[in-house]
Amino acid sequence: MTDLPARWLDVDLGNVATFVMRQAPPGQDCNKNGEGAPFVKAGEFGLTHPVIREWTTRPLKIARSTDVLICVVGATCGKINLGADCAIGRSVAAIRPNHGLRQDYLFQFLQTQISSLRAGSTGSAQGVISQDALSKVRLPLAPRAEQDRIVAKIDSLVAKSKRARVHLDHVSKLVKRYKQAFLDAAFRGDLTAEWRAARGGLNPEMVEIREIAEVVTGATPPSASKAEYFGGTIAFFKPTDLDAGYHVTSPRETLTEMGAHRLRLVPSGSTLVTCIGATIGKTGFARVECCTNQQINALIPDPNRVLPEWLYWGTVSPTFQNNIIQNASATTLPIINKGRFQRLSFSLPTLEEQVELVRLIEAAFAWIDRLTSEATSARKLIDHLDQAILSKAFRGELVPQDRDDEPASVLLERIKAEQIGVTAARRGRGRPRLATAI
């Protein structure tokens, strides 16, 4: 690293931390009954702290609450958590900061290194981060007092971005509720009540689906083993294709004329509604000529009575969706047969009012979707902002330097002295045992 502040040092992580590397306890000594020491593997990593789900009566490698835990094997390589007093498995290592290096300072710095640690992991089947690789991670070491200021500033800024993120995450829920309320008001006739009154119009009438649309239930698709049936120009829709909602255009499968010979083609502008299973009531608006499987009813609108677009929006409304559920068979796998489906009630305004309703719905939903898009963009900007905060922090640009701070060079010398003292003490403790053994 270059251009660090004068009192900082660029050091190897191994100079200011020690490592407890992975070793899993025997499986027969592990339990989920709370017996023994908490046991943390990669699967227990949470957002910032591990979630304890397992224990072991034979811990082999022990981490501390003052450590930083890191996944060092597999798909989660590089993921980090603050430490816990626990045993660690083969996929986890503990980084133990020496006195003078704050745990949360190290944790925040390692957040900026996850991508490079993953990129540097080795192993053919599974990525592995070695102790040597961890030791060689370059750490910008700030004076101890400045570490305090940096961590406090990061915590303050991240708390604000977290609040903003929570508010933005609520947008998607609010959008869904608003759309449902808007459609329900349209289906009841409330949305255009004033428009209708100003023109002396009649209130919407309730009709059965069969009065305004032909209901065509799809059929079992041709055998997948016959390649000549697939890859043609005829769209073949299944329930998963209806995720596109108002713009169902691109099926996952297409059929040749030979493949579709037993299936009924329905025109563009048909409304597609699932009639069985967990997705019952899922709705899409076909923008192309198509056929469907047996899980979908296609509603071909009578152009003299109902606009294709209003037929779609009406079937999406919560009132109509509830009507489907209430008329479905009460079995493990809900199903509404064609006879019942055709008799479902549907709100039918005049064609002129239907045009106005479709205009209002499409304008409102376009505005809502723009709001959602802006919220998504803002969410991404907050994520980038958090990364920018961390980058500035470890370049020494987040908080002002203080000339009275003890330089990091003095801190590093003290850390080295402590390490030498610890090593000597361990050797000293070892000699009596050796002499006794002799």
Side-chain angles (χ1 to χ4, degrees):
M1 295 181 185
T2 59
D3 300 326
L4 290 175
R7 284 176 167 72
W8 290 43
L9 279 182
D10 179 21
V11 300
D12 284 343
L13 182 55
N15 289 334
V16 291
T18 55
F19 307 93
V20 180
M21 300 307 289
R22 54 200 176 93
Q23 185 177 359
Q28 65 268 23
D29 296 320
C30 299
N31 66 88
K32 296 186 178 180
N33 304 320
E35 299 177 12
F39 178 37
V40 171
K41 308 179 294 301
E44 278 73 52
F45 273 46
L47 291 176
T48 57
H49 291 80
V51 179
I52 306 301
R53 302 188 184 95
E54 195 169 348
W55 291 260
T56 178
T57 55
R58 192 182 173 191
L60 298 179
K61 294 291 185 177
I62 300 294
R64 300 173 184 168
S65 60
T66 51
D67 295 340
V68 174
L69 303 180
I70 180 169
C71 294
V72 290
V73 176
T76 56
C77 250
K79 187 174 182 181
I80 61 172
N81 262 197
L82 291 167
D85 294 320
C86 63
I88 53 177
R90 64 177 298 275
S91 58
V92 177
I95 305 173
R96 187 160 296 161
N98 293 110
H99 295 302
L101 174 60
R102 284 185 60 135
Q103 176 201 32
D104 39 11
Y105 179 89
L106 174 61
F107 176 77
Q108 297 290 6
F109 169 70
L110 289 174
Q111 297 272 23
T112 69
Q113 303 298 301
I114 292 175
S115 295
S116 58
L117 285 168
R118 285 177 177 166
S121 63
T122 60
S124 55
Q126 290 183 313
V128 176
I129 300 174
S130 66
Q131 180 173 341
D132 184 61
L134 290 174
S135 298
K136 291 179 180 177
V137 170
R138 301 297 289 177
L139 170 74
L141 182 63
R144 183 61 174 77
E146 189 169 348
Q147 291 180 39
D148 295 341
R149 297 194 297 273
I150 288 172
V151 169
K153 188 67 172 178
I154 290 174
D155 287 347
S156 173
L157 294 173
V158 169
K160 293 177 181 178
S161 64
K162 184 178 180 180
R163 288 195 296 272
R165 195 177 283 110
V166 167
H167 289 308
L168 289 171
D169 287 345
H170 274 89
V171 169
S172 60
K173 297 177 183 177
L174 294 173
V175 160
K176 183 177 180 180
R177 291 175 190 168
Y178 183 76
K179 283 186 173 182
Q180 289 179 329
F182 199 86
L183 286 176
D184 235 7
F187 196 73
R188 291 192 307 266
D190 298 347
L191 190 63
T192 45
E194 292 184 5
W195 180 93
R196 187 169 57 251
R199 289 160 179 76
L202 299 174
N203 289 331
E205 59 177 318
M206 296 304 295
V207 298
E208 293 182 348
I209 285 291
R210 61 183 176 181
E211 297 178 55
I212 58 172
E214 179 186 1
V215 178
V216 176
T217 302
T220 304
S223 172
S225 64
K226 297 189 176 182
E228 65 270 22
Y229 287 171
F230 296 90
T233 59
I234 300 171
F236 178 60
F237 291 124
K238 299 178 181 179
T240 51
D241 295 310
L242 306 190
D243 291 339
Y246 197 38
H247 299 279
V248 176
T249 57
S250 303
R252 290 169 175 81
E253 290 182 348
T254 56
L255 301 177
T256 61
E257 290 187 8
M258 183 185 300
H261 79 281
R262 291 188 297 106
L263 305 177
R264 167 78 181 273
L265 283 175
V266 297
S268 170
S270 297
T271 290
L272 311 179
V273 186
T274 57
C275 54
I276 185 172
T279 61
I280 190 169
K282 189 175 183 180
T283 306
F285 187 66
R287 301 280 178 167
V288 293
E289 186 181 52
C290 63
C291 50
T292 72
N293 73 0
Q294 72 279 16
Q295 294 175 283
I296 295 176
N297 284 332
L299 281 58
I300 304 173
D302 178 350
N304 296 316
R305 301 209 63 191
V306 64
L307 288 179
E309 294 81 3
W310 173 241
L311 181 59
Y312 168 77
W313 290 120
T315 57
V316 175
S317 70
T319 298
F320 190 84
Q321 288 288 310
N322 289 335
N323 206 4
I324 291 176
I325 300 300
Q326 290 170 5
N327 283 274
S329 59
T331 62
T332 304
L333 189 68
I335 182 172
I336 182 167
N337 61 38
K338 183 176 178 179
R340 284 190 179 184
F341 190 90
Q342 290 183 125
R343 292 192 296 273
L344 293 178
S345 297
F346 190 86
S347 176
L348 188 70
T350 63
L351 284 171
E352 184 183 12
E353 188 172 344
Q354 291 176 40
V355 171
E356 177 65 9
L357 282 165
V358 169
R359 185 189 70 80
L360 291 172
I361 291 169
E362 292 185 350
F365 280 27
W367 176 80
I368 294 170
D369 290 340
R370 284 196 299 272
L371 178 64
T372 306
S373 178
E374 289 170 2
T376 301
S377 297
R379 183 70 159 74
K380 292 178 181 178
L381 286 175
I382 290 175
D383 293 339
H384 290 313
L385 178 61
D386 285 347
Q387 291 301 313
I389 288 169
L390 294 178
S391 295
K392 286 174 69 69
F394 298 106
R395 292 196 304 265
E397 299 172 1
L398 190 62
V399 298
Q401 277 74 51
D402 188 333
R403 286 181 292 181
D404 293 331
D405 286 345
E406 178 186 75
S409 57
V410 176
L411 174 61
L412 182 60
E413 290 301 319
R414 187 162 58 252
I415 290 172
K416 288 179 179 178
E418 289 176 358
Q419 289 175 330
I420 293 171
V422 169
T423 302
R426 287 174 178 168
R427 289 174 179 169
R429 287 196 300 270
R431 290 193 189 100
R433 289 196 293 273
L434 180 60
T436 301
I438 293 173

